[in-house]
């Protein structure tokens, strides 16, 4: 199916009518002569490239990958031994998005013209997964997005595994690069063309849609319609068109669809935005592809991007595919190295833009009144030095001196980390889970777990701190700190203004907490706690914790959540917001669970070290006790919501269980330490350990 001789034989043997035969002969000639202009006309005209045999010859030429001289070692995969590298894609480092690839590939091949059952589908899924992972490993700067597998599936079905390798790589790097940035910022630039296109043809319709964000067009345009159109023949025909046209053509096609539904859209009542969005989000059925392609070409010819009102092209970066893939002939000569440079330029611009508007986004996100603005909080994890004599008293002296400086700075939250509930899978795993593994450090470390070894639950951190403002730690603390991890998040000012009072009421409630629901008598248990499900290990650990701590172990706990969302971002946020709503109104509320701080991670300023990786949000949740948390995690009502909304929304997450020192304990400790000038090591050990240990009383 994938080699040239088979394709040529198919071209010769296919039985067609005179008109189709004549077109096939023209396609054959254009391919043989590398006639790009001729192929563009043939791919755009009615019936496109006719059949898959023709496409197997024409698509690689349209993508510029027919000539092997354009290849570099990065994309050669199984053939890269030709240029002497000796490398195989499977030996390259894993890409961080491979887990998500596996999930999406498991849902692939809803259409397969040649499938003869589950076994064949399993084989095709394996091919699809390996092709995507090969592309990502050979071009590791690219980021996978949900729906990418739909695009690759089409190329794989038409071209076969071998020939699709270079085609997918060139499509990814040179044609849909904007969609493979770390965020959807590049795709949003495409969406911004939509309403100006509609306005120039149907100003009344554009006015009706002006209050609607164009994200309804994202699933279709992001996947070149492969996610929206189920008929294999239709999507193959549409790919004929897209591969022969500039990169802006998918958004022009969507604009044509919207314009064609003018009357239907204008009849939607003003107070029914959900209905408007529902109509816009789905393509009409049946879809007259040939008429749609014809009208799209006319629309583009009359109103190209540079001529649109309000000049939306001003937001298009010179490295966007809207610029670099606008000329198909020039596209043929572009290399992977050029694509990588353009990607890096786009990413630098994206980061600059993100830094400029980050605080503005925070205010808009939380939609607070004008007098309520966003403030920052700094979150810090600390582990103290253990001095050279490796004694507890030396650790305690460091902890005592550190706490003395620390408590004078009055953090919002001072908490003792107890254990990981969920460890991060991809993002900064070693920095968070194993911060003491630096081989260059000769000193040992004394931690809350009394060991520097790492288990699935043990934490090496001694303190969790949350400060108002962006400067987390007094400089006088530096000599006491063995390891640290910090990040900054923006939160609404109203949250910070009332935090101390609200937190005091949570830690010292005037009434008894809600009763347990009985879940722990017969909990839902799983073998993997990474999805916030109750495991036998966590249940057994909790029983030991309660027995060991006695009444102290029955106190309140806080769960610090770090969150990174999947793609597309709007869908992921929508799903997680649904989870948050259910947590606040039912599944968490009935167990006394509440979110105390929720904030959006702020990128560091230029010149600052980026310590927070790719985390996007933080949340600090309160539970009246560890029992209440386990009662929730092991319940059916929680897991239904968790599996439906929370798990699909997250690309990565981690949860650290902590026990807070309440304000009374911290104030007393501050007074106690302010009067301490010199103290015997043994007394220091008792005092410092006692202060940290008092957190368990809450």
């Amino acid at each position: 199916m994938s080699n040239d001789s088979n394709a040529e034989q198919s071209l010769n043997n296919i039985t067609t009518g005179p008109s189709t035969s004549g077109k096939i002969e023209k396609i054959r000639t254009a391919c043989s002569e590398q006639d790009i202009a001729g192929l563009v006309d043939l791919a755009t005209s009615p019936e496109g490239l006719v059949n898959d045999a023709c496409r197997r010859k024409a698509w690689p030429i349209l993508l510029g990958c027919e000539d092997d001289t354009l290849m570099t070692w990065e994309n050669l995969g199984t053939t890269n031994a030709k240029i002497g590298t000796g490398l195989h894609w499977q030996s390259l480092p894993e890409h961080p998005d491979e887990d998500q690839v596996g999930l999406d590939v498991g849902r692939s091949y809803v259409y397969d013209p040649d499938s003869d059952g589950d076994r064949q589908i399993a084989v095709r899924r394996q091919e699809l997964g390996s092709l995507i992972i090969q592309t990502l490993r050979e071009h590791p700067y690219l980021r996978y997005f949900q729906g990418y597998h739909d695009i690759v599936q089409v190329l794989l079905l038409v071209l076969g595994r071998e020939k699709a390798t270079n085609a997918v790589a060139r499509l990814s790097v040179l044609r849909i690069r904007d969609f493979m940035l770390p965020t959807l910022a590049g795709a949003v630039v495409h969406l911004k063309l939509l309403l100006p296109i509609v306005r120039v043809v149907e100003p009344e319709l554009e006015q009706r849609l002006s209050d609607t964000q164009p994200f309804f067009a994202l699933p279709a345009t992001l996947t070149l319609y492969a996610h929206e159109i189920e008929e294999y023949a239709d999507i193959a025909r549409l790919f004929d068109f897209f591969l022969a046209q500039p990169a802006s053509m998918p958004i022009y096609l969507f604009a044509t669809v919207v314009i064609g539904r003018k009357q239907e859209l204008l009849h939607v009542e003003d107070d029914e935005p959900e209905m408007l969005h529902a109509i816009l989000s789905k393509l009409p059925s049946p879809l007259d592809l040939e008429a749609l392609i014809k009208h799209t070409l006319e629309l583009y010819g009359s109103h190209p991007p540079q001529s649109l009102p309000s000049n939306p092209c001003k937001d298009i970066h010179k490295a966007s595919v809207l610029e670099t893939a606008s000329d198909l002939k020039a596209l043929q000569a572009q290399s992977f190295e050029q694509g990588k440079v353009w990607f890096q330029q786009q990413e630098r611009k994206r980061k600059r833009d993100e830094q400029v508007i980050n605080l503005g986004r925070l205010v808009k996100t939380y939609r607070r009144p004008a007098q309520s603005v966003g403030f920052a909080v700094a979150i810090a994890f600390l582990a103290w030095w253990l001095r050279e004599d490796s004694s507890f008293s030396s650790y305690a002296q460091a902890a005592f001196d550190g706490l003395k400086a620390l408590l004078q700075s009055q953090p919002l939250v001072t908490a003792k980390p107890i254990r990981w509930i969920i460890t991060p899978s991809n993002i900064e795993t070693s920095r968070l889970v194993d911060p003491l593994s630096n081989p260059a450090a000769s000193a040992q470390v004394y931690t809350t777990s009394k060991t520097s070894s790492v288990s699935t639950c043990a934490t090496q951190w001694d303190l969790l701190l949350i400060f108002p403002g962006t400067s987390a730690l007094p400089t006088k603390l530096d000599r006491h700190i063995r390891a640290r991890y910090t990040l900054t998040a923006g939160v609404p000012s109203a949250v910070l203004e009332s935090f101390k009072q609200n937190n005091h009421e949570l830690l010292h409630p005037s009434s008894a907490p809600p009763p347990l629901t009985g879940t722990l008598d017969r909990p839902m248990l799983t073998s993997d706690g990474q999805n916030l499900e109750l495991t036998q290990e966590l249940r057994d650990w909790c029983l030991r914790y309660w027995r060991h701590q006695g009444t102290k172990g029955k106190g309140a706990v806080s769960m610090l959540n770090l969150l990174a969302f999947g793609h597309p971002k709007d869908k992921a946020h929508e799903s997680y917001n649904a989870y948050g709503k259910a947590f606040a109104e039912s599944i968490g509320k009935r167990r006394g669970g509440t979110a105390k701080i929720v904030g959006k991670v702020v990128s560091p300023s230029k010149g600052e070290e980026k310590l927070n990786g790719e985390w996007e949000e933080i949340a600090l949740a309160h539970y009246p006790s560890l029992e209440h948390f386990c009662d929730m995690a092991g319940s059916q009502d929680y897991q239904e919501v968790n599996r439906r909304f929370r798990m699909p929304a997250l690309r990565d997450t981690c949860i650290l269980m902590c026990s807070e020192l309440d304000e009374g304990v911290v104030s007393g400790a501050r007074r106690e330490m302010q009067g301490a000038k010199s103290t015997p090591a043994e007394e220091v050990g008792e005092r410092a350990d006692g202060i940290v240990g008092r957190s368990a009383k809450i």
Side-chain angles (χ1 to χ4, degrees), residues 577-610:
N577 288 341
Y579 165 77
K581 185 173 186 292
F583 179 87
E585 296 178 357
S586 59
I587 54 176
K589 182 179 180 181
R590 72 169 56 110
R591 281 102 176 172
T594 185
K596 298 198 288 189
I597 294 178
V598 177
K600 219 169 188 180
V601 174
V602 179
S603 297
S605 302
K606 186 176 181 180
E608 293 182 7
E609 183 182 2
K610 188 173 183 182

Side-chain angles (χ1 to χ4, degrees), residues 91-113:
S91 66
L92 296 174
E94 290 188 6
H95 191 279
D97 295 337
E98 288 185 21
D99 287 344
Q100 186 62 53
V101 172
L103 293 174
D104 288 351
V105 167
R107 299 188 290 265
S108 63
Y109 285 100
V110 293
Y111 52 71
D112 184 349

